[in-house]
Amino acid sequence: MTTATYAVTGMTCGHCVSAVTEEVTQVPGVTAVDVDLASGRVTVTSDAPVDDDAVHAAVDEAGYEVAGTA
Ligand SMILES: [Cu+2]
């Protein structure tokens, strides 16, 4: 099992959290997504390392931006 944590900017409420969670969950290989709204950290759990670009694209699709890894 692998976890990667990303710093995501622009999330302000529970709706943002659901939107990001929903999109990132759809990235192939992802088994769990945990969003901490206060810190803007998104922790992605997967069986094998996930394509960073796919996570960035999913966050972008939700309407937010990955500022970097956290
Ligand atoms: Cu929101």
Side-chain angles (χ1 to χ4, degrees):
M1 197 177 81
T2 307
T3 61
T5 304
Y6 301 86
V8 173
T9 56
M11 298 187 294
T12 55
C13 68
H15 173 262
C16 303
V17 171
S18 325
V20 168
T21 302
E22 197 174 303
E23 289 297 333
V24 177
T25 299
Q26 289 173 37
V27 172
V30 171
T31 55
V33 178
D34 183 66
V35 179
D36 184 63
L37 180 59
S39 65
R41 286 179 183 201
V42 176
T43 303
V44 178
T45 304
S46 54
D47 290 329
V50 162
D51 184 6
D52 247 11
D53 289 345
V55 174
H56 284 228
V59 170
D60 189 67
E61 183 67 29
Y64 309 96
E65 199 179 338
V66 174
T69 46

